Amino acid sequence: MIDGQTKALKQVEEVNATVDFLKAKTSINPQVAIVLGSGLGNFADVLKDKFSLDYSDIPGFLECSVQGHQGQLHFGKIGNVEVVLMQGRFHFYEGYKLDQVVFPIKVFAQMGCEQLILTNAAGGIHTSYAQGQLVLIQDHINLTGQNPLVGKNIEKFGPRFPDMTYTYNPTINELFIQQAKELNIDLKTGIYAGVLGPTYETPAEVRMLKTLGADLVGMSTVPEAIIGHHMGMKVTGISCVTNMAAGISKIELKHEDIKDVANKVMADFSSLVEKTIENKFPTRHT
Ligand code: HPA
C-alpha cells in the first residue's frame, strides 16, 4: 500500500513528465488554457498556427468516452495570445478517479498558464434563462461529494486550505461582460451547482438546487475550477444552457438535443471567447 507522501510525489512526477513531453512537442508556450464542454468542440477552429495531439498519445491523459467530446489537445494562438485547448474533458461519472479527471489542469498550471477558461453545457434553473443562454459562472456549489484536493497536500501546487472567495476571477469576468456588451451578446451571470451525474436531476432535486441558490446545474467544471484556483490560475466558467433543468421545463432531456443547442450558440460563444482573449486579456507576466 502506498502512503500519502509517496502518492503525492508520484503525482508531481507524472505532471512534470507530461509538461516535459508537451514542451518538447511544441514551441507554443500557453498563457491561457481552455476546456471545451459538450457540443462546444468546434471552437478549436478559431486557433491559428494550430498543433494538435490525440489524448491517447499524451501520457496521463485519458480516453474521452462521452459523445460530443472529441479527445484532442490543441495548441495555437488567438490574436497574439498563446493558448492550449482541450477538445473534450474527463468526468468523474465516467468512472475515472478524480486525480485523473483534473490531471490536465495540473499540467496546464505547471506549464505556466495564468488563465483557465472552463466551459460546459448546463441545465438552466433560473427562470430568466432560456435554452441557448450563455451564462458567466460567478460561483459554484460543490454537490459532488468529492474534492480533488483530498489527500496529502502538494505545497508547491498550492495551500492546504485554499480560500474560495474569488474562485471565479472577478477581474477576468468583467472583461467577458464588457466584451459581451460590445458584441451585443446576452451574457447573464449565475451560480453553478456541480453534481456527479450521469443521471440528469429529478424535478425534486432541481427544486432543492433552486432553494440552495443555484441558477445552473451540470456535471463538470467544479473539480477543475478547484484545482485551477488552488494552483493560482485565474479561473473563468462559461455555461451554455442547453436545456431548462428537469421540472422547470416539462421536456424530457436527451444528450443529442443538448449537443444540438450548444452547436446553435457556437457563433456567439466563439466570438465572445475569441474576442475577449484577443482584445481584453492581460498580456503574460514575465
Ligand atoms: N443537468 C445536469 N447536467 C447537464 C444538464 C442538466 O440539465 N444539461 C446539460 N448538462
Side-chain angles (χ1 to χ4, degrees):
M1 164 119 177
I2 64 169
D3 61 41
Q5 181 70 21
T6 312
K7 199 172 159 213
L9 284 173
K10 190 164 164 272
Q11 204 184 102
V12 175
E13 276 170 20
E14 282 168 2
V15 169
N16 288 341
T18 301
V19 170
D20 291 344
F21 171 87
L22 293 173
K23 282 192 167 161
K25 293 268 179 211
T26 172
S27 58
I28 296 268
N29 181 13
Q31 174 194 328
V32 181
I34 307 171
V35 181
L36 298 178
S38 278
L40 300 170
N42 289 347
F43 180 75
D45 295 343
V46 310
L47 293 194
K48 287 181 299 189
D49 304 338
K50 190 160 72 173
F51 169 75
S52 310
L53 285 164
D54 289 337
Y55 289 170
S56 54
D57 294 330
I58 306 173
F61 276 54
L62 303 163
E63 255 177 60
C64 250
S65 70
V66 188
Q67 239 194 331
H69 283 258
Q70 286 89 340
Q72 280 202 315
L73 188 69
H74 304 279
F75 290 87
K77 284 188 184 173
I78 296 177
N80 288 323
V81 182
E82 297 191 321
V83 309
V84 58
L85 189 149
M86 280 184 87
Q87 195 178 30
R89 59 147 61 82
F90 314 127
H91 305 81
F92 195 56
Y93 65 70
E94 290 171 87
Y96 298 130
K97 296 207 177 76
L98 209 44
D99 271 354
Q100 297 175 299
V101 169
V102 295
F103 181 81
I105 310 299
K106 292 180 184 172
V107 169
F108 302 150
Q110 286 295 89
M111 285 189 94
C113 292
E114 296 178 10
Q115 287 96 16
L116 173 66
I117 302 172
L118 301 169
T119 71
N120 60 54
I125 298 175
H126 199 287
T127 44
S128 75
Y129 302 162
Q131 248 190 5
Q133 179 71 55
L134 290 174
V135 182
L136 192 62
I137 300 176
Q138 276 182 312
D139 201 352
H140 73 222
I141 305 174
N142 181 4
L143 294 170
T144 62
Q146 310 284 333
N147 192 303
L149 295 176
V150 168
K152 179 114 186 113
N153 189 51
I154 302 169
E155 287 298 318
K156 69 178 211 173
F157 282 178
R160 169 78 294 187
F161 299 109
D163 179 87
M164 296 292 282
T165 314
Y166 300 113
T167 307
Y168 297 88
N169 190 271
T171 312
I172 302 285
N173 276 359
E174 204 45 51
L175 305 179
F176 278 94
I177 291 168
Q178 277 307 323
Q179 186 65 64
K181 273 193 196 136
E182 286 166 33
L183 292 170
N184 240 331
I185 291 173
D186 178 26
L187 178 67
K188 294 207 160 51
T189 53
I191 308 297
Y192 178 93
V195 295
L196 188 58
T199 49
Y200 292 115
E201 301 66 44
T202 64
E205 286 165 345
V206 172
R207 286 194 296 276
M208 174 194 76
L209 295 173
K210 191 177 172 124
T211 308
L212 292 178
D215 302 311
L216 298 152
V217 55
M219 304 173 197
S220 65
T221 302
V222 163
E224 297 153 344
I226 292 172
I227 289 295
H229 183 61
H230 180 242
M231 293 184 75
M233 285 190 283
K234 294 189 170 84
V235 179
T236 306
I238 301 175
S239 291
C240 168
V241 174
T242 46
N243 56 281
M244 292 312 283
I248 304 262
S249 132
K250 303 292 173 223
I251 303 166
E252 276 187 47
L253 305 180
K254 295 199 193 83
H255 186 61
E256 283 305 311
D257 300 344
I258 282 168
K259 275 191 304 166
D260 286 350
V261 174
N263 282 330
K264 285 198 188 109
V265 290
M266 257 327 277
D268 276 357
F269 170 83
S270 286
S271 47
L272 175 64
V273 177
E274 183 184 7
K275 295 296 169 209
T276 308
I277 293 174
E278 192 174 326
N279 300 333
K280 310 257 183 231
F281 261 41
T283 45
R284 179 193 282 288
H285 289 99
T286 44

